[in-house]
Amino acid sequence: FAKEAVNTAAQYLDWVSASDLENTAELQAGQGGIMTSNLKKVAVYRDFDNTLRAFSAVCPHLGCIVQWNNDEKSFDCPCHGSRFAADGTVINGPADSDLKPLPIK
Ligand code: FES
């Protein structure tokens, strides 16, 4: 059941509003954070080319919202310890898949 709920949430959010990303203008290169777009939580990272990248902040394990870890430059899940690199790639389980990338429109 929980997995279904996660999948439904992930399907609902499939893009991020560029105007919502204006709130992230203060993000320096190499910094990330969690923001809200379309009433959903979004993990945002500004890479060293100054490009903003956006991912669903919903942990693919059981659906908690990940947090930005500025010391490690990773998105960490507070529920069961999964960790994701700044590009969304899973680096520690129990999650077995990456944060879902979201196009910015
Ligand atoms: Fe994120 Fe379990 S919900 S590690």
Side-chain angles (χ1 to χ4, degrees):
F1 173 76
K3 269 288 189 195
E4 275 177 27
V6 170
N7 289 340
T8 301
Q11 283 163 10
Y12 179 76
L13 177 70
D14 56 5
W15 59 280
V16 181
S17 161
S19 60
D20 288 345
L21 286 180
E22 289 172 9
N23 298 333
T24 64
E26 70 278 9
L27 277 185
Q28 306 290 317
Q31 286 189 329
I34 306 299
M35 54 162 292
T36 302
S37 179
N38 299 330
L39 303 178
K40 295 292 179 180
K41 295 295 184 185
V42 179
V44 180
Y45 174 71
R46 187 184 297 281
D47 69 18
F48 288 99
D49 295 331
N50 218 30
T51 304
L52 276 176
R53 299 179 183 283
F55 309 90
S56 171
V58 177
C59 178
H61 179 226
L62 290 176
C64 292
I65 301 301
V66 299
Q67 300 171 344
W68 174 246
N69 176 343
N70 201 48
D71 290 336
E72 301 289 336
K73 307 295 184 198
S74 61
F75 292 101
D76 299 352
C77 183
C79 289
H80 314 104
S82 289
R83 298 183 61 229
F84 306 85
D87 68 356
T89 306
V90 63
I91 50 178
N92 276 121
D96 61 2
S97 57
D98 303 337
L99 296 180
K100 180 187 173 191
L102 298 174
I104 298 168
K105 297 184 183 176

